[in-house]
Amino acid sequence: EPEVTQTPSHQVTQMGQEVILRCVPISNHLYFYWYRQILGQKVEFLVSFYNNEISEKSEIFDDQFSVERPDGSNFTLKIRSTKLEDSAMYFCASSVGDSSYEQYFGPGTRLTVT
Amino acid sequence: QKEVEQNSGPLSVPEGAIASLNCTYSDRGSQSFFWYRQYSGKSPELIMFIYSNGDKEDGRFTAQLNKASQYVSLLIRDSQPSDSATYLCAFEGGSQGNLIFGKGTKLSVKP
């Protein structure tokens, strides 16, 4: 069964450093999402991406964040200058359509900012 | 502010019993509702989705939606210890399908 994959599984970085989190969505899916979950809190939407552009973003997704689909398979989330409060699990998700379609989540990347 | 309310639990049921999980949502215009299961330290796993008022059954799981009351529930029949997890209710919060999640209800099934 096809699944969303994410790398790395765990990333430790120092405050102020740039990190890139990588995702490979399910191959026939067209809509891609990033979510984050701070330890003990709820899953929060960051950004949605379709047709090589951002379609929607939350207040969390400020100028420090960017997304890119550099080739036909990868989907990346970049945090330019990490802060302590960026420490969280970051989940990539994909779906075949936009609204009313099921989203399938990857295993996540645990980001620890020290 | 679009929100989902869930009882955080923990909800404890004996093995073989029916577990009932409930959720209310704020956006009357929402059309799509999802239940995800999340084991500790793992990612959300989709178990049910429902778009129409009424019941939808899939194996041991039944989702119920009442749009007039802005209420969605999940019933798990013949609960197993492996069902012990946090159950996340979510609804579609935007035109591009971004999901709004509740904090989740922790379910514990005792052997």
Side-chain angles (χ1 to χ4, degrees), chain B residues 45-96:
Chain B
E45 175 192 4
L46 180 68
I47 52 173
M48 288 287 289
F49 57 92
I50 186 166
Y51 308 135
S52 304
N53 272 330
D55 296 0
K56 179 183 178 182
E57 189 173 315
D58 184 1
R60 296 188 295 114
F61 299 98
T62 298
Q64 299 173 315
L65 174 60
N66 183 326
K67 290 187 180 180
S69 301
Q70 295 175 242
Y71 175 90
V72 59
S73 66
L74 179 71
L75 300 178
I76 306 174
R77 288 181 298 282
D78 188 24
S79 296
Q80 301 297 309
S82 57
D83 294 327
S84 298
T86 297
Y87 288 79
L88 310 179
C89 174
F91 72 91
E92 169 202 82
S95 61
Q96 300 301 316

Side-chain angles (χ1 to χ4, degrees), chain A residues 36 45-47 56-63 65, chain B residues 1:
Chain A
R36 80 170 185 192
F45 167 73
L46 294 178
V47 66
E56 198 160 3
K57 59 184 180 180
S58 71
E59 292 176 352
I60 303 168
F61 194 89
D62 62 21
D63 292 343
F65 291 88
Chain B
Q1 183 82 353

Side-chain angles (χ1 to χ4, degrees), chain A residues 31 33 35 37 42-45 48 50 55-56 89 91 98-108 110, chain B residues 3-4 31-32 34 36 38 41-44 46 49 51 88 92-99 101-103:
Chain A
Y31 293 80
Y33 307 84
Y35 294 83
Q37 187 176 32
K42 61 184 177 181
V43 177
E44 300 174 291
F45 167 73
S48 59
Y50 169 70
S55 45
E56 198 160 3
M89 281 289 284
F91 296 112
D98 52 359
S99 59
S100 303
Y101 285 88
E102 310 88 79
Q103 293 180 27
Y104 295 92
F105 281 67
R110 179 171 298 284
Chain B
E3 290 186 336
V4 178
Q31 300 295 319
S32 311
F34 305 87
Y36 285 83
Q38 187 175 32
K42 301 295 185 182
S43 63
L46 180 68
F49 57 92
Y51 308 135
L88 310 179
E92 169 202 82
S95 61
Q96 300 301 316
N98 59 289
L99 297 176
F101 282 87
K103 290 183 178 179

Side-chain angles (χ1 to χ4, degrees), chain A:
Chain A
E1 187 173 319
E3 49 186 31
V4 178
T5 59
Q6 289 185 245
T7 54
S9 57
H10 190 189
Q11 173 91 48
V12 181
T13 189
Q14 289 190 325
M15 196 166 53
Q17 295 297 303
E18 175 183 287
V19 294
I20 297 176
L21 310 182
R22 292 182 167 80
C23 168
V24 178
I26 295 173
S27 61
N28 66 331
H29 286 187
L30 301 176
Y31 293 80
F32 314 120
Y33 307 84
W34 284 102
Y35 294 83
R36 80 170 185 192
Q37 187 176 32
I38 295 170
L39 188 63
Q41 298 188 25
K42 61 184 177 181
V43 177
E44 300 174 291
F45 167 73
L46 294 178
V47 66
S48 59
F49 191 87
Y50 169 70
N51 201 26
N52 281 322
E53 60 182 25
I54 291 173
S55 45
E56 198 160 3
K57 59 184 180 180
S58 71
E59 292 176 352
I60 303 168
F61 194 89
D62 62 21
D63 292 343
Q64 293 300 310
F65 291 88
S66 62
V67 289
E68 194 178 34
R69 188 152 162 84
D71 54 42
S73 59
N74 289 282
F75 178 48
T76 63
L77 174 69
K78 182 192 291 186
I79 309 175
R80 256 179 278 283
S81 178
T82 50
K83 303 189 270 288
L84 294 176
E85 53 265 37
D86 293 327
S87 295
M89 281 289 284
Y90 287 81
F91 296 112
C92 174
S94 70
S95 69
V96 66
D98 52 359
S99 59
S100 303
Y101 285 88
E102 310 88 79
Q103 293 180 27
Y104 295 92
F105 281 67
T109 292
R110 179 171 298 284
L111 177 65
T112 302
V113 183
T114 62

